[in-house]
Amino acid sequence: MGDTTAFPGLLLWPALSPSTLVSGLGKSTLINSLFLTDLYKDRKVPNAEERISRTVAIIKHAIGIEEKGIKLRLTIIDTPGFGDAINNTESWRHVEDYIDQQFEQYFRDESGLNRRNIQDNRVHCCLYFISPFGHGLRPLDVDCMRALHEKVNIIPVLAKADSLTPAEVCRKKMKIREEIKQFGINIYQFPECDSDEDEDFKTQEQILKNSIPFAVIGSNVQVESKGRKFRGRVYPWGVVEVENPAHSDFLLLRNMLVRTHMQDLKDVTREIHYENYRAQCIQNMTRMVVLERKRSEADFPLPLAITDTEKERLIYEKDEEVCFTLLLHPVINLVIRAISTYLFICFFF
Amino acid sequence: MGDTTAFPGLLLWPALSPSTLVSGLGKSTLINSLFLTDLYKDRKVPNAEERISRTVAIIKHAIGIEEKGIKLRLTIIDTPGFGDAINNTESWRHVEDYIDQQFEQYFRDESGLNRRNIQDNRVHCCLYFISPFGHGLRPLDVDCMRALHEKVNIIPVLAKADSLTPAEVCRKKMKIREEIKQFGINIYQFPECDSDEDEDFKTQEQILKNSIPFAVIGSNVQVESKGRKFRGRVYPWGVVEVENPAHSDFLLLRNMLVRTHMQDLKDVTREIHYENYRAQCIQNMTRMVVLERKRSEADFPLPLAITDTEKERLIYEKDEEVCFTLLLHPVINLVIRAISTYLFICFFF
C-alpha cells in the first residue's frame, strides 16, 4: 500500500489532530507540552475584531520528535477560530473536508503507477477538546463528533483540567462517557486485550479505558520547585505539575499517542476509515457510470429490452469493476463514453 | 417616585443579575457564595438532549440576606441555557425583553393613581460572566453587552478565575478592558471621588476601577483547613479560598454590590437607564399620535391648509402632552381617535 514501512525509523504519522473546539481551551499549549515543541513561536492572538470577522481556518504544523531513539514526524492540524462565532452551524465542515481531501489524495496516489513512495497525509487521530465548564457535552460537541466519527479516530480530552477538583473530574468523565454512548458517537476504541496478555498490561489497558476523556493540563512554562524542574502552572495556592499522574492524565495520553497505540491508530485509519471512504467512493462512481449508461440508452434505445435479472446483476458487477479503472484515467468523461460503448457491444454479442 | 425609601430598612434591590453567558461558568455557585444562599437546592442539571432542545429561559429567585443588621431582599434573575446553542444569534433577546418589561411595568405603575407602594422590579445590575478561556471578549460577549449596555448597569466578571495564574488574570483583565473600550461598550462606571474625600477612600475606589473585570471564584463547599472553616475548592496542589483577596476579587465584588455601591447602582438605573426608557417611550407615543392624526387628516382633508410653522410647533407640543395622558388610558385606540377629534376642533375654532 506504499505505507510508512517504506521509511524505516521514520514513522509517518502526519496528522495528529484537527484539535477542535472553542479556542482558548489550551490546544496549542497541550501540543507544546506533549511534544516539547513550540507550535506558535511568534503567535499573535487575534484581537476581538479579527476574531469576529474570521472563519475557521486549517493550519498545518510539521514537527519532528524523538521517542526512545525513534524519530517521528508529526503533522499537527490546528483549527483556530472553531466555535468562536455566534452561529457555529456546520462550522466543522472545514475539518470534515480536510479529512476527505487527504483520503482522496491517498486514493489517487495508491491508484497511480508509482505507489512505493506515497506521502501519507491521512488524519490518524483527532484530539477533541471538551470544555471543563460544560455540564457534559454541548450541542456543538455532539454535532461535531457525529460529523467526524466515521472518518477519523476521535480521542476526547477534557481540557484545562486544573480548573476542576478530582471529584468534579470524576463526575464530568462519567457524564461525558454516558452522553457519548447515549448519542451513538463512535470514539476510538482501545483494542481488546488477548486473554494470554500479562496482568500488568491488562490493568494498564483498563486504566486507559476508564480515563476517557483524558483530563489534561498543558503548560509552556518551566517551573523550578524543591530542586526539580518541570512543566507546570504556578497558582497562589499551589503548583500544578503537568506530568504528575495525581494532577492530570497527561502522561497517560502521551504514552498512548506516541508509544503504545500509535500503530493501532494508523491501522484503524487504514483498515476502517480509509476503506469506508474507498468503498463509498467506488459506489458513487458506479452509480455515476450506471446513470451515464442509462442516459446513453435513452439517447440510443436498444431494439430488444433485456429483462433478465441475472444478466442485470452481471452488468452491475461489470460496472463496479470498470469504475475503479475509471479513477485512474485523467479524462473521465471520455472513458465513460468508451465504457458505455463497450457495454453496448456486450449486449449485442 | 414610589421608590425604595418607602420601605425603611428593607431595601428593594430586586434584580441583581441576569447573570448571562454560557452555562457552566459558575453563575449560581458565585451567587450562592456571594449571598450565602442556595439558589438551586434540588437542581437537576439537564442532560445533553434537554440542553439541545431547550432555549434561553428566565428564572427568578427571591432571596433575603442580612448585611450588618440591614435586611435586603434581592431577586436574582438567571438565564440558564444562554450561549449553549450552536446558533446563538440574538439569544440575548429574552434578557433584553425582560429588562424592558420591568421598565414598562414601572412606567405604568408610576403613571397610575396610587404610586406610593410601587414594587420596583427594575433590573439594577447585570453581572456579565466572561469565560476565563477566551482570548479576550468573544463576538457573543460584544453583541450581548452592546445590546444591554443602554438598559442596565453591566458589571463584567471574569468567571472561574482559579483556572488562571495571577499573571494570566492580569493580562486577561487588561485585554478585556481594552476591548470594552475599543467596542464602545458602556459598562457601569464607578462614580468619580470628590476631591475632599479621604485618601483611603480614593485608594479603595482606584482598586475597584483597576479590578474590572472582577476575577471571581465561587464554591458551595465548606472547607476546614488549619483550624479554619471557609468556602473553598480543594485541589491536589492546594486549597483555594474564595474570600482570600490573594486568590480572587470575590470580597471586592461582594462589598461593592452589597455595601458601597448598591445605592449608586439604583440611582444610575433610575436616573439614566429608566429615564432613557421613559423618554423613548414618550417619543414613540408622540410619533404614533402624529401618525394617527395624519391618517385622520387624510380621511377628512382640511378645507384650508395650515402652513404656519409656529402653529405646527404648538400642535406638536400638544401632541407630546396628550400622549403622556394616553399611556394612562386602558383603551388606547379609542383615546387616539378622541384626541384626533379634539385636534380637529382646535384647528377649526
Side-chain angles (χ1 to χ4, degrees):
Chain A
M1 300 282 274
D3 206 3
T4 54
T5 45
F7 298 84
L10 180 69
L11 273 167
L12 280 181
W13 186 26
L16 173 74
S17 154
S19 50
T20 52
L21 213 78
V22 185
S23 62
L25 283 182
K27 297 188 299 291
S28 36
T29 309
L30 181 73
I31 298 298
N32 291 346
S33 310
L34 276 172
F35 305 116
L36 302 176
T37 179
D38 197 350
L39 276 196
Y40 294 92
K41 260 190 203 112
D42 309 309
R43 186 180 202 178
K44 193 182 156 283
V45 173
N47 65 30
E49 230 155 28
E50 288 162 348
R51 283 200 303 278
I52 285 171
S53 60
R54 76 175 172 167
T55 50
V56 179
I58 296 277
I59 295 178
K60 285 172 80 170
H61 307 265
I63 55 168
I65 63 169
E66 195 167 329
E67 190 62 29
K68 297 212 167 181
I70 300 170
K71 282 183 179 164
L72 303 174
R73 191 164 68 78
L74 304 176
T75 310
I76 316 288
I77 295 124
D78 197 6
T79 55
F82 184 84
D84 259 358
I86 292 176
N87 183 356
N88 293 296
T89 311
E90 301 214 339
S91 53
W92 56 85
R93 188 70 76 194
H94 283 71
V95 184
E96 197 182 353
D97 287 348
Y98 179 83
I99 297 173
D100 280 344
Q101 281 157 18
Q102 308 319 307
F103 279 151
E104 192 188 332
Q105 187 58 50
Y106 195 86
F107 191 23
R108 283 178 199 277
D109 289 349
E110 73 157 2
S111 311
L113 267 182
N114 181 4
R115 40 195 278 180
R116 291 184 64 81
N117 296 321
I118 298 176
Q119 174 129 356
D120 186 1
N121 281 318
R122 291 172 297 185
V123 182
H124 296 96
C125 170
C126 164
L127 290 187
Y128 191 88
F129 283 70
I130 298 168
S131 167
F133 295 163
H135 299 301
L137 293 178
R138 289 177 180 169
L140 184 62
D141 300 329
V142 175
D143 280 12
C144 185
M145 286 201 271
R146 269 183 176 166
L148 303 181
H149 67 172
E150 304 289 357
K151 295 171 188 284
V152 67
N153 293 313
I154 294 176
I155 298 178
V157 300
L158 189 57
K160 298 213 170 181
D162 51 339
S163 57
L164 300 172
T165 65
E168 287 167 344
V169 167
C170 192
R171 277 201 301 275
K172 292 245 161 169
K173 281 187 170 191
M174 272 179 63
K175 194 156 173 48
I176 290 168
R177 280 202 299 265
E178 265 171 31
E179 292 188 345
I180 283 174
K181 204 171 159 185
Q182 182 191 340
F183 285 108
I185 299 166
N186 302 321
I187 57 168
Y188 170 66
Q189 294 297 316
F190 294 107
E192 289 302 319
C193 292
D194 292 336
S195 53
D196 57 350
E197 291 281 7
D198 71 48
E199 283 308 310
D200 273 5
F201 184 82
K202 282 182 184 169
T203 314
Q204 195 58 26
E205 288 291 298
Q206 199 51 48
I207 291 173
L208 267 181
K209 283 179 189 171
N210 294 345
S211 299
I212 290 283
F214 295 100
V216 291
I217 303 167
S219 169
N220 289 332
V221 182
Q222 282 277 350
V223 180
E224 199 166 348
S225 175
K226 295 172 192 165
R228 285 191 308 122
K229 265 191 176 179
F230 51 86
R231 287 212 171 202
R233 291 175 59 78
V234 183
Y235 289 107
W237 45 90
V239 182
V240 179
E241 299 173 39
V242 165
E243 300 198 17
N244 184 336
H247 293 186
S248 87
D249 299 328
F250 177 89
L251 267 192
L252 264 183
L253 176 68
R254 187 175 202 280
N255 282 342
M256 188 226 110
L257 282 178
V258 187
R259 293 185 193 164
T260 55
H261 288 74
M262 180 186 268
Q263 192 53 49
D264 191 58
L265 284 164
K266 294 177 68 184
D267 291 346
V268 175
T269 304
R270 197 183 62 238
E271 289 162 20
I272 298 178
H273 300 307
Y274 175 64
E275 282 306 310
N276 282 345
Y277 171 84
R278 194 173 152 275
Q280 189 65 45
C281 221
I282 292 175
Q283 263 179 16
N284 290 345
M285 291 304 296
T286 309
R287 220 169 283 135
M288 211 171 78
V289 171
V290 171
L291 274 174
E292 178 68 15
R293 185 165 58 82
K294 281 190 177 153
R295 204 179 60 75
S296 305
E297 278 174 11
D299 290 346
F300 309 98
L302 293 174
L304 290 170
I306 294 166
T307 50
D308 186 36
T309 323
E310 179 60 14
K311 270 186 188 167
E312 278 191 341
R313 195 185 56 76
L314 279 168
I315 292 163
Y316 188 79
E317 280 174 13
K318 276 264 174 268
D319 282 347
E320 284 217 324
E321 276 170 36
V322 292
C323 78
F324 183 72
T325 325
L326 270 179
L327 292 162
L328 311 182
H329 203 290
V331 198
I332 210 156
N333 277 324
L334 282 178
V335 178
I336 290 169
R337 289 192 175 277
I339 289 167
S340 304
T341 318
Y342 164 77
L343 286 168
F344 270 103
I345 296 164
C346 288
F347 285 133
F348 285 112
F349 299 101
Chain B
M1 299 282 272
D3 205 4
T4 55
T5 44
F7 299 84
L10 180 69
L11 274 167
L12 278 181
W13 188 24
L16 171 75
S17 154
S19 48
T20 52
L21 214 76
V22 185
S23 61
L25 283 182
K27 297 188 300 289
S28 37
T29 309
L30 181 73
I31 298 299
N32 291 346
S33 310
L34 276 171
F35 306 116
L36 302 177
T37 179
D38 198 349
L39 276 196
Y40 293 93
K41 262 190 201 109
D42 309 308
R43 184 180 204 179
K44 194 183 156 284
V45 172
N47 62 33
E49 231 155 27
E50 287 162 351
R51 284 199 304 279
I52 285 170
S53 60
R54 77 176 172 167
T55 48
V56 178
I58 296 277
I59 296 177
K60 285 173 78 169
H61 307 266
I63 56 169
I65 63 169
E66 196 166 330
E67 189 63 29
K68 296 213 167 183
I70 300 170
K71 282 182 179 165
L72 303 173
R73 192 165 67 79
L74 304 176
T75 310
I76 316 289
I77 295 122
D78 197 6
T79 54
F82 183 83
D84 260 359
I86 291 177
N87 183 354
N88 294 296
T89 312
E90 301 215 338
S91 53
W92 55 84
R93 189 68 78 194
H94 283 73
V95 183
E96 196 182 354
D97 288 347
Y98 179 84
I99 297 172
D100 280 344
Q101 282 158 17
Q102 309 318 308
F103 279 150
E104 191 188 332
Q105 187 57 50
Y106 195 86
F107 191 24
R108 283 178 196 277
D109 288 350
E110 74 157 1
S111 311
L113 268 181
N114 181 5
R115 41 196 276 180
R116 291 184 65 82
N117 296 320
I118 297 176
Q119 174 128 355
D120 185 2
N121 282 319
R122 290 173 298 185
V123 183
H124 295 97
C125 170
C126 164
L127 290 187
Y128 192 88
F129 284 69
I130 297 168
S131 167
F133 294 162
H135 299 301
L137 294 178
R138 290 179 181 166
L140 183 62
D141 298 329
V142 175
D143 281 12
C144 185
M145 286 199 272
R146 268 182 175 167
L148 303 181
H149 68 172
E150 303 290 357
K151 296 171 187 283
V152 67
N153 294 313
I154 293 176
I155 298 179
V157 300
L158 189 56
K160 298 210 171 184
D162 51 338
S163 56
L164 300 172
T165 64
E168 287 167 345
V169 166
C170 192
R171 277 201 302 274
K172 295 247 158 162
K173 281 186 171 192
M174 272 177 64
K175 192 155 175 51
I176 290 168
R177 280 201 300 267
E178 267 171 30
E179 293 188 343
I180 282 174
K181 205 171 160 187
Q182 181 190 342
F183 285 108
I185 298 166
N186 302 322
I187 58 167
Y188 170 67
Q189 294 297 316
F190 295 106
E192 289 302 317
C193 292
D194 292 337
S195 54
D196 57 349
E197 292 281 8
D198 70 47
E199 283 308 311
D200 273 5
F201 185 82
K202 281 182 186 169
T203 315
Q204 195 58 28
E205 288 291 297
Q206 200 51 49
I207 290 173
L208 268 182
K209 283 178 191 172
N210 294 344
S211 300
I212 290 281
F214 295 101
V216 292
I217 303 168
S219 169
N220 290 332
V221 182
Q222 283 278 350
V223 180
E224 200 165 347
S225 174
K226 295 171 193 167
R228 287 190 307 121
K229 265 192 178 180
F230 51 86
R231 286 209 172 204
R233 291 175 59 76
V234 183
Y235 289 107
W237 46 89
V239 181
V240 179
E241 298 174 40
V242 165
E243 300 198 18
N244 184 337
H247 294 185
S248 87
D249 300 327
F250 177 89
L251 267 191
L252 265 183
L253 175 68
R254 187 174 201 280
N255 282 342
M256 188 226 110
L257 283 178
V258 186
R259 294 185 194 163
T260 54
H261 288 73
M262 179 186 269
Q263 192 53 49
D264 191 59
L265 284 164
K266 293 178 67 185
D267 291 347
V268 175
T269 304
R270 196 182 62 240
E271 290 163 19
I272 299 177
H273 299 307
Y274 175 65
E275 281 306 310
N276 282 346
Y277 171 85
R278 194 173 152 274
Q280 189 65 45
C281 221
I282 292 174
Q283 265 180 13
N284 289 346
M285 291 304 297
T286 310
R287 219 168 285 134
M288 211 170 77
V289 171
V290 170
L291 274 175
E292 179 68 14
R293 184 165 58 80
K294 280 189 179 155
R295 203 179 60 76
S296 305
E297 278 175 10
D299 290 347
F300 309 100
L302 295 176
L304 290 170
I306 296 167
T307 50
D308 185 34
T309 321
E310 180 58 15
K311 270 187 188 165
E312 277 192 341
R313 197 186 55 76
L314 278 168
I315 291 164
Y316 189 79
E317 279 174 13
K318 275 265 174 270
D319 281 348
E320 284 218 323
E321 276 169 36
V322 293
C323 78
F324 183 72
T325 325
L326 269 179
L327 291 164
L328 310 180
H329 204 290
V331 197
I332 212 154
N333 276 327
L334 281 178
V335 177
I336 290 169
R337 290 191 174 279
I339 289 166
S340 305
T341 318
Y342 163 79
L343 287 168
F344 268 105
I345 296 164
C346 289
F347 285 133
F348 285 113
F349 299 102

